Amino acid sequence: MTDARAAARAAFVAPETKVLTLPGELPLEMGGTLPEVQVAYRTWGTLDRDGANAVVVCHALTGSADADRWWTKMFGPGRAFDPERDFVLCSNILGSCYGTTGPASIDPRTGAPYLGDFPLVSIRDMVRVQRELCRALGVTRVRLVVGGSLGGMQTLEWALSYPELVDAFAFIASSARHSAWCIGLSEAQRQAIYADPRWRGGRYDPADPPLAGLAAARMMAMCTYRSRDSFEQRFARRPQTAGTYAVESYLRYQGQQLVDRFDAASYVALTRAMDTHDVSRGRGEYEEVLRGLRKPALVVSIDTDVLYLPEEQREVAELVPGARFERIESPHGHDAFLIDVERLDRMVADFRGRAPRAEASAARRGGADGAAAAGREEVSLFVLGKGKVGSQLLAQLAEQRAGFERDYDVTLRVVGLADSRRTLFEPEGVGLEGWRAALAAEPEAGPFDLARGAPLLERLGRLPHPVLVDLTAADGMEAVYAEAFRRGVDVVSANKRPLATRQPARDELLAVQRRHHRRWSHEATVGASLPLIGTLAGLRHAGDRLLSLEGALSGTLGHVCGELMKGAPLSLAVRWARELGYTEADPRDDLSGLDAARKAVILARELGLAAELDEVEREPLVPADLLSRPGDLLQALRWYDPFMEERVAALRGERRALRYLARIDVEGGRARIRVGPAAVGPEHLASRLRGVEAYVACHTERYQEHPLLVQGAGVGAVSTAGGVLAELFRLSQGHGAR
């Protein structure tokens, strides 16, 4: 597996996850063995002295061991799972790609990933691995085993395979044997993967996997996870764009969500395992096998489920002696076991004899309950910086929130705001209409730093999918980011300074991020909303190597140079840029080339090159002594206006234009970076830039004759906020419950 793919999947695995290697080989029900099996797992609560208070939670098809992420409302005092009383255990299933041995794992016999050569495993094999994990942890009694969908299949196998260990089971939205309907749906999804030319018979390049086929498989599956009425009510025939219906956009988004976190061969292996599911295989007559289950059982059905039809659960409830049958009435189809969790929790808690809880209000403004009831992925945002970019981001969030919730099942909830003087933290959500007044009402306490921020980051880390959004230009944020990562908080940053700091400090920060399996998204640090960093990082991850890079990285200086060429005085061009919000907090950072140098260092490092800011050969747009003069900057620039006017006039006479360019060359594995003003002719790429446009032309081993070119608006509050919002949207991808 490539480092990039491994890192992407690791971001969906909680840092609390542990891994156990089982001793010896694992014999498989369908034949063959696995020579070495690792199992990734999470636990909550404490195993009692006798090892007799375990609850085993089984996840669904593309899930992970992080049950507290996808069944959050099932955990807590009086709920189905109470860590004060229960030892709750959830492990990633055999064949998956979140830490337990599966197709993406290395086959110790070949030294390469199994991929499509991974042997056929069954639900019973998955449960056997879980049983061995319980043995290793000292579990002597499983008070309850519970799961939905594929997880429900595991609960039946637990009760049948280890009746001496299991006290009770809860079987939710599943079947006792995979129907022809479900086998057919699974095969259609697998065929979509096989039809992708990158599948290559299951021996694909992990760096170039069959993403299109996997996305198509997920889109098919999504149509069975919801109901027809749900799609009609939510999407109808509403267009999303001129040529796309809203439902098409939704399905494409769901397909992209999966390919960013899952493996195609794992999807094939797990759907094949589901097809083997039949509780009667090797045990006798189907009805008699179920009648022999002499354990307390809770069977939960969903009235609109078109994947595992309600009559399948009704059949199990009628055959298992004394089983309790419950029905969830929901418009959400099969997904209701992940959406209507409050109702499911009450059913399981009541089955276990737990004291009833007071109803939680689902109508709290901006609160989590409303989002959970609607089945949306929740993201808790703490925004640092309320300047032009911060204000624009909050405005865009307010404008687009309803669309995200309706079309993509995503709730982006602002829970905190901070500027250089005040900090506001509201776990239930800050109202986006009155945030200015709410922040102004807080007492002055100074800027958000590690000393003040650590307690708030701890509180943020306890909220659903916490994200720190840094829109400042503050120094010293490396320590804040590191603390965020330790607290389980992802970071989205438009602040260039932590990325351009000394290389050892940056590398240590990245190591902390990786250790804690957090994500740090910083596309907006260079080029606002342009996809520069992701594009260059993608080249590196695909094995390409940089030869040279040239570009106009400062949209601010692009604007200033453009106005100069139109005849505007330098002082006026800088003043306009500052008033429009294009410049850094101190325009000297732009005019000196320091901002462009930081961006060049960031790009060089994204391409795997060693680079330090103080080694950049930097020529300012105006004389350095002019920028170092004390007092008003614009006054100093007014003094220099005639000299710049003369310089520009000479360029016009030569039919050339003034631009501020950066160049990166590779010398002995290090980056040689130069930034400075340049006179370009009409044939040069930079000559056609307009306004705040930036561009990068990248020559690599694969792009030698014609460079890879990225061009567009490179500065501005609207563009930068839009870029940050796009990153937040990508981060909102769910943790894989089904």
Side-chain angles (χ1 to χ4, degrees):
M1 186 189 308
T2 65
D3 290 342
R5 287 281 155 197
R9 289 175 197 145
F12 289 92
V13 179
E16 298 87 353
T17 302
K18 300 175 184 178
V19 177
L20 174 75
T21 300
L22 300 182
E25 293 187 336
L26 178 73
L28 300 174
E29 184 192 5
M30 301 297 176
T33 62
L34 283 171
E36 183 179 282
V37 171
Q38 291 186 318
V39 54
Y41 68 96
R42 293 275 312 276
T43 64
W44 300 263
T46 303
L47 188 65
D48 66 20
R49 185 178 303 175
D50 299 326
N53 65 327
V55 171
V56 174
V57 179
C58 303
H59 70 72
L61 176 59
T62 64
S64 70
D66 300 324
D68 61 340
R69 291 183 174 182
W70 42 266
W71 259 358
T72 306
K73 297 296 183 181
M74 302 281 278
F75 286 77
R79 294 187 183 271
F81 318 137
D82 184 353
E84 302 246 338
R85 303 163 65 180
D86 301 318
F87 177 68
V88 185
L89 169 64
C90 183
S91 64
N92 188 222
I93 56 176
L94 183 70
S96 187
C97 57
Y98 291 135
T100 295
T101 297
S105 303
I106 299 298
D107 181 350
R109 293 166 294 198
T110 66
Y114 289 98
L115 301 179
D117 293 328
F118 192 72
L120 177 62
V121 298
S122 68
I123 308 300
R124 294 179 195 177
D125 293 327
M126 297 173 187
V127 170
R128 187 180 306 115
V129 169
Q130 295 165 9
R131 171 66 182 98
E132 292 306 313
L133 173 63
C134 286
R135 194 192 309 277
L137 296 178
V139 172
T140 62
R141 201 85 189 154
V142 175
R143 295 300 182 188
L144 176 73
V145 59
V146 55
S149 196
L150 170 55
M153 300 175 194
Q154 296 166 58
T155 68
L156 288 180
E157 287 296 341
W158 260 103
L160 287 163
S161 298
Y162 306 106
E164 76 289 348
L165 189 66
V166 174
D167 284 349
F169 65 93
F171 168 80
I172 302 161
S174 190
S175 68
R177 55 185 173 187
H178 227 213
S179 66
W181 165 246
C182 287
I183 293 171
L185 290 169
S186 294
E187 175 61 10
Q189 293 165 41
R190 289 190 293 267
Q191 287 297 328
I193 295 173
Y194 301 158
D196 189 323
R198 287 178 171 82
W199 173 249
R200 296 170 187 159
R203 294 176 176 83
Y204 53 89
D205 180 356
D208 188 26
L211 302 184
L214 180 57
R218 180 63 161 188
M219 291 167 68
M220 282 188 242
M222 287 303 304
C223 292
T224 70
Y225 293 156
R226 296 297 177 95
S227 68
R228 181 185 184 280
D229 287 347
S230 172
F231 271 37
E232 287 297 325
Q233 291 170 16
R234 187 168 172 192
F235 304 112
R237 292 182 54 79
R238 178 168 51 84
Q240 187 80 4
T241 63
T244 307
Y245 289 105
V247 68
E248 293 177 288
S249 178
Y250 171 76
L251 291 173
R252 291 171 188 174
Y253 164 71
Q254 293 292 341
Q256 185 60 48
Q257 270 200 316
L258 187 71
V259 302
D260 285 346
R261 66 176 176 84
F262 212 70
D263 171 67
S266 292
Y267 196 92
V268 169
L270 295 181
T271 56
R272 291 179 70 209
M274 293 166 71
D275 290 349
T276 72
H277 177 56
D278 181 352
V279 295
S280 67
R281 187 176 61 254
R283 291 187 175 124
E285 293 296 324
Y286 174 76
E287 291 81 2
E288 292 306 312
V289 170
L290 290 175
R291 289 192 182 102
L293 267 173
R294 305 286 177 174
K295 298 287 180 182
L298 172 66
V299 178
V300 179
S301 181
I302 300 163
D303 66 338
T304 53
D305 195 339
V306 298
L307 183 59
Y308 298 108
L309 303 182
E311 48 262 38
E312 296 183 80
Q313 297 92 51
R314 173 69 71 180
E315 178 185 58
V316 171
E318 290 174 350
L319 289 171
V320 174
R324 179 190 296 192
F325 182 78
E326 298 279 3
R327 187 175 72 162
I328 295 176
E329 296 181 355
S330 169
H332 300 304
H334 183 65
D335 269 357
F337 83 95
L338 301 170
I339 296 174
D340 297 312
V341 180
E342 286 280 359
R343 278 189 279 178
L344 180 62
D345 173 62
R346 290 195 295 273
M347 292 173 182
V348 178
D350 183 65
F351 174 66
R352 302 194 68 198
R354 295 286 163 91
R357 297 175 294 103
E359 287 293 323
S361 170
R364 291 181 298 171
R365 175 180 55 82
D369 287 338
R376 293 190 291 267
E377 175 74 12
E378 303 167 51
V379 182
S380 305
L381 307 178
F382 197 124
V383 180
L384 306 182
K386 67 168 182 61
K388 291 189 175 181
V389 175
S391 298
Q392 183 58 227
L393 175 65
L394 295 172
Q396 291 184 21
L397 277 170
E399 179 182 353
Q400 299 187 52
R401 179 171 54 187
F404 284 163
E405 293 177 352
R406 179 191 62 210
D407 294 339
Y408 301 108
D409 289 340
V410 172
T411 292
L412 299 175
R413 182 161 50 101
V414 177
V415 299
L417 293 168
D419 62 13
S420 59
R421 296 185 296 168
R422 296 179 174 88
T423 299
L424 169 67
F425 189 81
E426 290 288 348
E428 301 299 330
V430 176
L432 294 182
E433 298 77 20
W435 65 266
R436 294 180 189 276
L439 181 60
E442 294 295 312
E444 292 197 22
F448 188 96
D449 55 18
L450 181 60
R452 290 184 53 238
L456 292 175
L457 290 173
E458 181 178 3
R459 294 174 65 190
L460 177 65
R462 294 197 291 265
L463 297 177
H465 198 164
V467 182
L468 182 70
V469 184
D470 181 14
L471 306 179
T472 72
D475 281 317
M477 293 302 290
E478 298 91 335
V480 174
Y481 291 7
E483 184 66 16
F485 297 145
R486 294 187 190 101
R487 299 292 183 182
V489 177
D490 293 330
V491 172
V492 171
S493 174
N495 186 348
K496 293 176 280 293
R497 295 172 190 247
L499 289 160
T501 190
R502 302 290 300 178
Q503 185 95 35
R506 173 185 175 272
D507 291 346
E508 174 56 29
L509 183 56
L510 289 170
V512 174
Q513 175 210 348
R514 287 191 294 269
R515 271 198 307 273
H516 293 276
H517 304 289
R518 293 299 97 202
R519 287 187 283 179
W520 179 10
S521 182
H522 45 77
E523 185 77 61
T525 54
V526 183
S529 61
L530 290 180
L532 280 174
I533 288 179
T535 300
L536 298 185
L539 291 176
R540 177 191 176 192
H541 294 148
D544 203 357
R545 289 197 301 174
L546 179 73
L547 301 177
S548 66
L549 180 150
E550 184 181 78
L553 303 182
S554 172
T556 304
L557 292 185
H559 171 82
V560 169
C561 289
E563 294 302 317
L564 290 173
M565 295 307 298
K566 294 176 187 176
L570 172 67
S571 58
L572 189 56
V574 172
R575 180 181 144 196
W576 286 341
R578 185 167 67 180
E579 290 174 351
L580 289 168
Y582 295 159
T583 68
E584 292 295 296
D586 185 349
R588 291 177 175 83
D589 281 1
D590 297 294
L591 297 170
S592 68
L594 181 58
D595 180 64
R598 284 195 185 107
K599 293 173 178 176
V601 167
I602 292 170
L603 293 184
R605 289 173 173 175
E606 288 295 330
L607 287 161
L609 300 172
E612 293 289 1
L613 185 59
D614 58 9
E615 296 176 359
V616 175
E617 301 169 32
R618 176 162 54 95
E619 180 184 349
L621 182 66
V622 299
D625 64 336
L626 194 71
L627 298 174
S628 63
R629 291 182 186 181
D632 181 47
L633 173 63
L634 291 181
Q635 182 63 37
L637 294 179
R638 279 192 285 271
W639 176 85
Y640 191 71
D641 279 344
F643 300 97
M644 181 61 79
E645 184 178 349
E646 182 179 345
R647 180 180 178 185
V648 168
L651 289 173
R652 281 204 207 95
E654 299 168 355
R655 297 183 65 248
R656 294 193 293 171
L658 178 65
R659 295 290 184 262
Y660 197 90
L661 302 181
R663 183 172 178 87
I664 303 174
D665 291 292
V666 183
E667 297 181 355
R670 294 189 64 85
R672 182 190 178 191
I673 304 175
R674 291 162 286 173
V675 299
V680 300
E683 75 289 344
H684 196 281
L685 288 171
S687 68
R688 62 190 183 194
L689 297 178
R690 298 292 180 268
V692 295
E693 280 188 322
Y695 88 97
V696 162
C698 191
H699 284 89
T700 70
E701 290 181 343
R702 298 174 188 171
Y703 291 90
Q704 293 193 41
E705 185 176 355
H706 301 290
L708 175 67
L709 181 65
V710 180
Q711 180 176 335
V715 74
V718 173
S719 295
T720 303
V724 170
L725 185 57
E727 292 179 82
L728 292 172
F729 186 62
R730 286 190 290 270
L731 275 179
S732 71
Q733 295 175 358
H735 295 287
R738 68 170 82 79

